[in-house]
Amino acid sequence: GINAEYGKQWYQRRVRGIRADKETQESWEVVMNNKIPDVTDEEQLIFFEDCHLVTLLNIIPGTLKVSPTHIYFYEHEKDETHHKLSHNNLVWKIKGIREIHLRRYNLRYSAIEFFLTDQTNHFINLSKYHRNKVYSKIMSLRPENLVHGITRTPEEMVASSNITKKWMERRISNFEYLMNLNTIAGRTYNDLSQYPVFPWVLTDYTSDSIDFENPLCECFRDFSKPIGAQVPERAEHADIKYHSLPQDGLDPPFHWGTHYSNPGAVLYFLVRMEPYTSLHIDLHGRFDHPDRHFYNVANSYNSSTRGQGDCKELIPEFFYLPEFLTNSNEFDFGTRHDGKPVGDVILPNWAKSPEDFIVKHRAALESEYVSNNINHWIDLIFGYKQRGQPLKKPSMCTTTPATRDGRSR
């Protein structure tokens, strides 16, 4: 089994991070229309409701209690002694809340995520009605360290936080800006289906050396196009498919039959590290076929740009965590069709080690070219191009309706 403390460290990782679609906006309107009482009667502010604590490892049923000074989560257990001692019981101070975000869970607008000043975070799922009520109760207490005020939709959070201005003035890095956008857009380390997404940055994984600052370097991807449309032939095929689908049917047409970020893709990249190894086995019932493992960075890039049914982007770990590239636990992933065992990830020729790869890959992300062009990718993933509207021409990034908001409710 997975070491409990190790797993807890994983799901408590603090992340920072645009889009408010119709139902998100409706949720905010419900919250804003609730009259928030003054903090005069402590009894009226106490709130109990059944909920689930969502972590990377478990979905834990319990009860959420809000008092004037604290928030409590108590795990549901039949045994009273175990209930009192459960390591899943949580308590945090109202004044320790730094950010509160309304979240989706399983494509329903029913969750809320708390980010605390001690750099931990907690993801709680309720019903949509009770989620909004909890939010109103907490906001009525005016948490003193709260960054975003009550009137903040995701779009307003971006504006009020000045993160775009800070990024344009180069007061925060490209990495920090993307993490902020991921968080505000609803992506979280607590849910594999909404895991933070980062772009493929480079196209050259075979040269012995690479100069990211050379203005003549042709080693960067086209950020104005999704990863699946980098190769003209594949982009043309996706466009033909889009226009061959019914344009006025129940489901809108799409370019890609899969999504650029999904639980399988996250576990594909992180399979060498716990708790993701165990989650990978839970998903497949065993280790996947050796030929389908993350084996070679160059091969994975070629698959995302040229392969059939693959258009996945990257995860943040590609820019800060060398450990996920090494099979330090010596898992037996099997032998590929060419007779080679699946062990450590094969790196580009220009990387001498996993640590060297991360340093250079992060340098590429922070390069001048990326700084000047990453805004196009942001429009594709988080911005107005995500749904192909209001463009007169589709933006080549529409995915199958089954992967979109609310389609699977």
Side-chain angles (χ1 to χ4, degrees), residues 66-301:
V66 179
S67 81
T69 57
H70 292 80
I71 297 176
Y72 304 86
F73 172 82
Y74 293 109
E75 180 181 6
H76 284 171
E77 290 291 344
K78 294 181 179 179
D79 184 271
E80 186 65 23
T81 302
H82 181 84
H83 172 77
K84 293 179 180 179
L85 299 176
S86 173
H87 70 276
N88 290 318
N89 291 342
L90 301 171
V91 57
W92 61 95
K93 295 180 179 179
I94 296 292
K95 67 179 182 180
I97 299 174
R98 188 175 187 278
E99 298 178 30
I100 306 177
H101 294 272
L102 300 182
R103 295 298 197 212
R104 293 173 300 173
Y105 183 65
N106 287 338
L107 296 180
R108 295 177 184 273
Y109 294 80
S110 58
I112 187 167
E113 190 167 21
F114 301 93
F115 293 89
L116 309 182
T117 54
D118 64 1
Q119 306 304 303
T120 61
N121 64 316
H122 306 293
F123 191 103
I124 303 291
N125 186 52
L126 307 105
S127 69
K128 178 180 175 181
Y129 169 77
H130 288 117
R131 184 274 303 268
N132 292 338
K133 193 172 182 180
V134 168
Y135 180 87
S136 296
K137 291 288 188 182
I138 295 171
M139 294 306 291
S140 73
L141 300 173
R142 310 298 197 270
E144 58 188 76
N145 290 308
L146 195 66
V147 174
H148 305 295
I150 189 172
T151 59
R152 304 308 179 199
T153 65
E155 291 164 313
E156 290 174 324
M157 284 184 186
V158 173
S160 66
S161 63
N162 287 322
I163 58 170
T164 299
K165 186 174 185 290
K166 292 177 182 177
W167 173 65
M168 293 175 65
E169 294 175 351
R170 308 204 173 189
R171 288 188 283 157
I172 61 174
S173 66
N174 293 342
F175 180 87
E176 186 176 358
Y177 185 52
L178 291 175
M179 285 304 302
N180 273 271
L181 295 183
N182 269 279
T183 297
I184 293 174
R187 292 189 169 273
T188 171
Y189 280 115
N190 286 314
D191 186 356
L192 289 175
S193 66
Q194 302 180 100
Y195 207 80
V197 59
F198 267 62
W200 284 98
V201 173
L202 300 171
T203 61
D204 186 351
Y205 298 95
T206 59
S207 297
D208 292 332
S209 62
I210 193 167
D211 184 1
F212 309 127
E213 299 302 333
N214 184 348
L216 300 179
C217 179
E218 297 182 353
C219 59
F220 293 102
R221 57 100 45 99
D222 183 347
F223 288 101
S224 68
K225 299 177 181 178
I227 193 64
Q230 297 293 303
V231 177
E233 294 79 10
R234 194 180 185 200
E236 181 181 2
H237 177 76
D239 195 51
I240 291 173
K241 179 174 70 175
Y242 179 92
H243 288 96
S244 68
L245 295 171
Q247 302 295 307
D248 55 356
L250 179 63
D251 290 326
F254 57 91
H255 293 95
W256 314 106
T258 185
H259 203 266
Y260 51 79
S261 176
N262 57 68
V266 176
L267 298 178
Y268 166 81
F269 286 127
L270 296 178
V271 67
R272 289 167 176 79
M273 296 182 63
E274 287 287 16
Y276 302 99
T277 309
S278 295
L279 292 170
H280 170 95
I281 294 173
D282 287 343
L283 177 65
H284 296 281
R286 61 187 185 283
F287 283 130
D288 199 5
H289 191 282
D291 286 333
R292 289 195 291 267
H293 277 298
F294 178 37
Y295 173 73
N296 183 311
V297 176
N299 288 354
S300 294
Y301 172 76

